[in-house]
Amino acid sequence: MESTPYIQTEVPDNEKVLNNKLNAKVAYVENVTEALNSHNDRRVYELINSKKYNELIREVKHADDNRTLSTLVSDLQPDLSHHLSEQLIEHLSEEFPFFYYQESALGVFDVYFGNWWDRAYFGRLDPINVQFKFKVEEYEKLVASVKLNGEAKRFHTDDIDGLTKDNESLQALVENQNARNEQRKELETRLDQLDERGGFFNRPSGEERDEIKGKLQELDAQDEKAASVPEQIEANNNKILAYSKEDTILIYEQRAINETFGTFETFEAKVKSLYVDYVKQLADKDGGEVNA
């Protein structure tokens, strides 16, 4: 009886290929370990994202990535971020002296703009990607404030003007109380006169009566609104104070940027080129070698 093998395959034995792949993984981990132990952050950036490094630092077009290998340390992102932050924040303290950082969790760095009172939480720093991730609302507010500054306006100028006019209208409502009282007496007198002249053959005009009642209702509404004027004015003043504080903070932010970079456009360009500028600076510290 002829024997039948349990498995048939035309795929050649790949033990050598398997060993090469395993050796590459081992070598990658060893290289990362060596770079970390020697505080060679430039080399770490090259190892954790070779495509980005080769394209931006070596200026190689369409470079291959090492994603398969880099996944070996993907579960170490917080630890790597914490490690890489040390030299990065030292660099940033000189390049962006108005930013301050707080490590709220391992490898998580909150960014604050300024060291003044009521400073803004401005986003986060990503040491692994060497990138600022600004809070959209705060950044757009700053951008708008810079634009308005060129028009001699502040971010909340229109808001404050609107609330100030609202307060003036509210105050006028209170000051006109006596005039409303006199108007009410006149309307009520007219209404009484219409009732006195009324009779079977001399009924007062329904339209005139309705008109007087309508005016009295308007006066009632104004009196009711006037009663709450102090609270409304206080609420508006609190908003004006908050807007004024925020405008002051935005002025501080613009001033800090201008003192460091000259223009807001230069600041934006520096933010955009942060990875390249920083990694090349690391290479310069190592003798200018981007391939070391």
Side-chain angles (χ1 to χ4, degrees):
M1 182 175 177
E2 186 177 350
S3 175
T4 302
Y6 285 101
I7 184 172
Q8 292 182 345
T9 179
E10 296 180 358
V11 178
D13 181 53
N14 73 330
E15 184 175 349
K16 184 177 181 179
V17 175
L18 176 61
N19 285 332
N20 287 339
K21 290 181 178 180
L22 290 172
N23 289 334
K25 290 178 181 290
V26 171
Y28 176 81
V29 173
E30 289 178 345
N31 287 334
V32 172
T33 302
E34 181 182 355
L36 290 171
N37 289 338
S38 61
H39 294 278
N40 187 348
D41 289 358
R42 181 209 62 81
R43 177 63 171 153
V44 175
Y45 286 117
E46 180 183 8
L47 289 167
I48 61 178
N49 193 336
S50 65
K51 180 177 177 63
K52 181 177 182 179
Y53 183 93
N54 287 330
E55 290 181 350
L56 296 181
I57 305 303
R58 293 197 180 105
E59 300 182 1
V60 176
K61 294 183 179 180
H62 311 299
D64 295 331
D65 64 49
N66 65 336
R67 192 175 304 169
T68 302
L69 290 174
S70 64
T71 57
L72 293 172
V73 294
S74 60
D75 61 333
L76 301 177
Q77 297 288 302
D79 303 88
L80 288 172
S81 179
H82 177 83
H83 176 92
L84 293 169
S85 69
E86 183 176 351
Q87 290 192 69
L88 174 59
I89 291 178
E90 182 180 351
H91 170 78
L92 294 176
S93 66
E94 298 178 1
E95 297 295 316
F96 299 85
F98 42 78
F99 283 151
Y100 293 81
Y101 311 90
Q102 179 177 346
E103 191 171 14
S104 55
L106 181 65
V108 178
F109 294 89
D110 296 331
V111 179
Y112 291 88
F113 201 131
N115 60 350
W116 43 75
W117 51 265
D118 231 13
R119 63 182 181 177
Y121 165 72
F122 214 68
R124 284 186 172 172
L125 171 68
D126 180 357
I128 291 179
N129 291 296
V130 193
Q131 181 183 22
F132 287 118
K133 294 182 177 179
F134 294 139
K135 186 179 179 183
V136 174
E137 179 185 355
E138 290 296 331
Y139 191 74
E140 289 182 347
K141 198 181 298 179
L142 177 58
V143 172
S145 181
V146 170
K147 182 179 178 181
L148 288 168
N149 187 53
E151 304 171 9
K153 293 177 66 176
R154 295 187 178 185
F155 184 76
H156 288 296
T157 294
D158 292 340
D159 296 318
I160 292 175
D161 287 347
L163 288 169
T164 300
K165 290 178 181 178
D166 189 25
N167 279 351
E168 291 172 355
S169 298
L170 291 169
Q171 189 60 41
L173 191 64
V174 173
E175 294 173 354
N176 290 335
Q177 183 67 59
N178 290 336
R180 285 197 304 277
N181 291 340
E182 291 298 323
Q183 186 180 3
R184 181 185 297 279
K185 289 180 182 179
E186 292 177 5
L187 291 171
E188 289 175 343
T189 299
R190 286 175 56 191
L191 196 60
D192 290 341
Q193 291 172 348
L194 285 174
D195 290 338
E196 290 174 0
R197 292 201 305 266
F200 185 78
F201 295 105
N202 190 22
R203 299 183 65 84
S205 168
E207 290 183 1
E208 187 176 0
R209 175 183 288 274
D210 290 342
E211 181 182 354
I212 293 174
K213 286 185 175 181
K215 290 181 179 179
L216 286 170
Q217 288 176 352
E218 289 177 5
L219 291 174
D220 289 340
Q222 291 177 19
D223 285 347
E224 184 177 352
K225 186 175 182 181
S228 63
V229 161
E231 291 80 6
Q232 292 181 55
I233 289 180
E234 183 180 3
N236 286 346
N237 286 338
N238 288 336
K239 288 181 180 179
I240 290 173
L241 179 60
Y243 286 149
S244 298
K245 286 182 177 180
E246 190 166 52
D247 280 341
T248 301
I249 295 299
L250 288 167
I251 289 173
Y252 285 167
E253 292 175 357
Q254 290 181 62
R255 185 179 300 161
I257 288 173
N258 290 336
E259 287 177 353
T260 303
F261 296 102
T263 66
F264 189 74
E265 291 73 20
T266 303
F267 162 72
E268 289 184 305
K270 282 292 184 180
V271 169
K272 188 175 181 180
S273 65
L274 181 56
Y275 176 88
V276 172
D277 293 344
Y278 176 60
V279 176
K280 284 187 175 180
Q281 183 260 354
L282 290 175
D284 289 341
K285 288 172 61 176
D286 293 334
E289 292 293 330
V290 298
N291 302 311

